[in-house]
């Protein structure tokens, strides 16, 4: 045994296991200080955006039975498509901010557990989903708002304008801002168009709106903040010409109370361009809009814990890029059970079967401790007894009942390996991959079931029926049949099938907007993590050019997913995890540094130290006793 090893061993032995755990405890303390991420931390929008952040706390009072309409995006923070769409939606909200008196642009994060009830009620299964809810809206069976099936800003604007005009409301309908969307007809004149208007309205702008266009509606909405102006739509050619409008050259005109008509030619045939032309014309007459209404209240966004704590986690993950972390596995399970499944209103037929299968493999191959295993086992038994239909609400209630009955289940509250450089990146979808890789490996190492497809089938069913990233689910299903998922011959091939499929997704998403710049999508594992996995050293990251050594890849995957090697960094309640695994882990940590001989020597030294301490103590005590006859007590007695 070397001198250095002896010194380290002595320190460990003398200070005992408590001291050996210090680095872990320091990390735990760091994480304990960090408050659990609140749901708003997950969201894709913040106070800098014009998107009204909706949640269970404000949804009803903002959207239901209002005198304005609402455009609501139901999204999932972790869905790549939602992330890619977020900048577009911010742009939509920015542009339609001036419509806010008539329609607000909001978004609700269905990945936030607290919003489960709302996302379930509105039967949202694809993300992102855009719905329009009009003034006075109340959800009812078969009426959860009208879908806007577009992700193009101009088209969204136009669809929304169409819905608003179809409300057939007037400004008298307790919203004084509501524009008059009725068309001007041939019977109207320069005086009738001012009838019933307040004297503040000095001008009426007439906008030519061809069939199937919403340019007039949009112009009216863009100019809500101009009290001196009323915008009206004209579609009839005879009426248009009466007001000096030529659909080919001058598509709009402004009429004043004296009856003067001035035609204008906007640069483009769009709402923004028409309203800009009118704004310029009014500006020249020194007419101004009303000051911008106070900003709509945005929900407070709590900043992600202390930057230094986030940094500590990222540093840990950068040091150990291929580690599998207990915390991520738990977060995946928690999100699946608390968020994804309860969000589904009715779980019947294929969906119910998929859930039963998923819970079956989760119960067999989960990484949780005793409480977690109990909970999963009972939850599975509960779900299996249904053969017709179960509701998301019933599932949620049973889950809550079991969790409160069985005590704490999860040892951690944060992602670790799946932590993104920003809270909007990585997270749940990363942890879901991690969980499925983990389960394919557990199945391959376990004799409990001989079915080679059990985990892949459960995963396929889960992704198809519950995964909140609709786009991902579609891609995955297409890939699964292309890669012949149902022909996988054995459990080890199942591990490799998932590995290769995941690498295909990595390749497709490399350089995508959803990629975390600090965690670029690579062909996994990197050569640095597993050089034996590469038959040809120095291959590029393009999988097509990598000559994989699949045996080495398989043992690498088995290794990193071995429960003994799963990292417990960031775990706060280690006592909830399997004690045996923990003991083995500690033993492994020590035995990887010291040989058996070293260990025996260490134990001898330990025993020797204790004997020496006892002897020293006795000598000291004895010496102290002999001194006593020469001392004096407080009264001076000998
Ligand atoms: C089934 C499924 C399908 C998806 N489809 C899409 C999609 O179509 N479009 C889209 O935008 N997003 C999709 N996603 C999300 C996307 O794949 C990533 O999860 C997300 O972009 C986060 O990426 P990440 O960098 O955190 O790493 P992830 O790709 O999520 O990987 C998580 C961790 O797994 C490990 N890993 C990486 N590759 C492998 C591998 N080949 N084998 C074993 N372990 C590996 C790494 O340690 C990595 O950190 C899908 C997710 C899932 C679960």
């Amino acid at each position: 045994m070397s001198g250095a090893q002896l010194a380290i061993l002595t320190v460990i032995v003398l200070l005992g296991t408590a001291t050996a755990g210090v680095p872990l405890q320091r990390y735990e303390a760091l994480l304990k200080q960090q408050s659990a991420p609140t749901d708003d931390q997950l969201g894709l929008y913040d106070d800098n955006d014009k998107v009204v952040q909706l949640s269970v706390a404000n949804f009803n009072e903002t959207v239901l039975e209002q005198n304005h309409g609402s455009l609501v995006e139901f999204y999932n923070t972790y869905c790549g498509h939602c992330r890619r769409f977020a900048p577009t939606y911010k742009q939509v909200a920015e542009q339609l901010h001036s419509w806010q008196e008539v329609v607000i642009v909001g978004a609700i994060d269905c990945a936030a557990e607290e919003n489960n009830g709302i996302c379930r009620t509105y039967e949202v299964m694809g993300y992102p989903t855009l719905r329009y809810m009009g003034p006075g809206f109340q959800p009812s069976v078969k009426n959860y708002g009208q879908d806007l099936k577009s992700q193009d800003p101009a088209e969204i604007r136009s669809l929304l304008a169409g819905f608003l005009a179809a409300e057939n409301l007037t400004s008298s309908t307790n919203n004084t801002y509501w524009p008059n969307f009725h068309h001007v007809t041939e019977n109207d004149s320069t005086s009738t168009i001012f009838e019933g208007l307040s004297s503040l309205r000095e001008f009426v702008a007439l906008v030519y709106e061809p069939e199937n266009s919403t340019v007039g509606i949009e112009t009216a909405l863009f100019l809500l903040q101009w009290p001196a102006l009323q915008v009206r739509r004209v579609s009839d050619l005879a009426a248009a010409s009466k007001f000096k409008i030529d659909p080919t050259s001058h598509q709009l005109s402004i009429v004043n109370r004296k009856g003067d008509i001035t035609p204008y030619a906007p640069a483009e045939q769009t709402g923004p361009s028409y309203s800009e032309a009118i704004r310029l014309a009014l500006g020249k007459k020194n007419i101004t809009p009303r000051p911008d209404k106070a900003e709509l209240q945005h929900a407070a966004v709590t900043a992600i814990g202390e930057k230094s704590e986030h940094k500590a986690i990222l540093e840990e993950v950068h040091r150990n890029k291929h580690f599998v972390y207990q915390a991520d596995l738990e977060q995946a399970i928690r999100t699946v059970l608390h968020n994804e499944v309860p969000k589904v209103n009715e779980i019947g037929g294929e969906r119910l079967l998929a859930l039963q299968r998923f819970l079956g493999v989760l119960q067999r191959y989960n990484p949780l401790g005793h409480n977690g295993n109990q909970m999963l086992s009972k939850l599975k038994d509960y779900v299996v007894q249904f053969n017709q239909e179960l509701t998301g609400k019933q599932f949620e209630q049973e889950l809550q009942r079991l969790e409160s009955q069985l005590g704490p289940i999860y040892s951690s509250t944060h992602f670790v390996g799946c932590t993104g450089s920003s809270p909007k990146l990585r997270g749940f979808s990363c942890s879901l991959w991690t969980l499925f890789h983990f389960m394919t490996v557990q199945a391959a190492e376990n004799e409990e079931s001989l079915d080679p497809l059990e985990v892949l089938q459960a995963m396929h069913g889960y992704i198809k029926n519950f995964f909140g990233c609709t786009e991902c689910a579609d891609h995955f299903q297409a890939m699964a049949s292309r890669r012949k998922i149902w022909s996988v011959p054995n459990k080890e091939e199942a591990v490799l099938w998932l590995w290769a499929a995941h690498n295909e997704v990595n390749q497709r998403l490399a350089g995508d907007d959803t990629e975390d710049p600090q965690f670029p999508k690579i062909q996994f594992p990197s050569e640095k993590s597993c050089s034996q996995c590469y038959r040809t050293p120095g291959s590029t990251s393009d999988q097509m050019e990598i000559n994989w050594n699949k045996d080495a890849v398989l043992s690498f995957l088995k290794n990193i997913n071995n429960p003994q090697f799963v990292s417990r960094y960031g775990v706060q309640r280690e006592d909830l995890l399997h004690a045996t695994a923990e003991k083995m882990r500690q033993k492994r940590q020590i035995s990887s540094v010291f040989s058996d001989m070293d260990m025996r020597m260490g134990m001898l030294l330990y025993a020797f130290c204790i004997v020496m301490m006892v002897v020293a103590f006795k000598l000291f005590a004895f010496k102290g006793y002999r001194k006593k006859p020469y001392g004096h007590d407080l009264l001076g007695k000998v």
Side-chain angles (χ1 to χ4, degrees), residues 190 206 242-245 253-256 259-264:
T190 51
L206 297 158
K242 196 168 173 185
F243 290 97
K244 297 193 180 168
I245 289 174
S253 63
I254 296 181
V255 184
N256 66 17
D260 303 325
I261 306 172
T262 317
Y264 292 90

Side-chain angles (χ1 to χ4, degrees), residues 456-508:
L456 293 185
Q457 191 177 25
M459 175 181 181
H460 187 273
Y462 179 82
I463 297 290
K464 182 175 175 196
N465 293 288
F466 296 97
F467 190 29
C469 173
T470 326
E471 179 210 23
C472 307
D474 293 345
H475 276 131
F476 184 77
Q477 283 175 83
M479 177 173 70
S481 48
R482 185 166 29 79
R483 285 183 166 269
K484 303 194 170 39
I485 190 172
W486 309 121
S487 311
V488 171
N490 57 52
K491 291 194 205 173
E492 302 208 317
E493 284 299 327
V495 175
L496 287 172
W497 187 93
L498 192 59
W499 158 76
H502 190 171
N503 267 345
E504 183 183 321
V505 177
N506 292 344
Q507 191 167 27
R508 180 161 50 83

Side-chain angles (χ1 to χ4, degrees), residues 80-81 84 321-322 417-418 426 429-430 432-434 437 459 463 467 469 471-472 475-476 498-499 502-503 505-506 508-509 512 514 519 521-522 524 557:
H81 201 47
R84 275 190 289 277
K321 285 229 167 70
H322 56 259
C418 289
R426 312 193 72 216
S429 55
C430 165
L432 194 61
W433 276 120
T434 310
H437 287 299
M459 175 181 181
I463 297 290
F467 190 29
C469 173
E471 179 210 23
C472 307
H475 276 131
F476 184 77
L498 192 59
W499 158 76
H502 190 171
N503 267 345
V505 177
N506 292 344
R508 180 161 50 83
L509 296 178
D512 187 79
T514 58
F519 296 92
K521 299 266 192 289
I522 57 151
F524 185 91
L557 293 172

Side-chain angles (χ1 to χ4, degrees), residues 101 177 200-201 223-228 288-293:
E101 313 286 358
Y177 287 89
L200 282 177
R201 305 268 188 198
L223 296 168
L224 289 177
Q225 303 301 329
W226 293 72
T288 53
R290 65 170 72 80
D292 194 13
K293 189 188 160 211

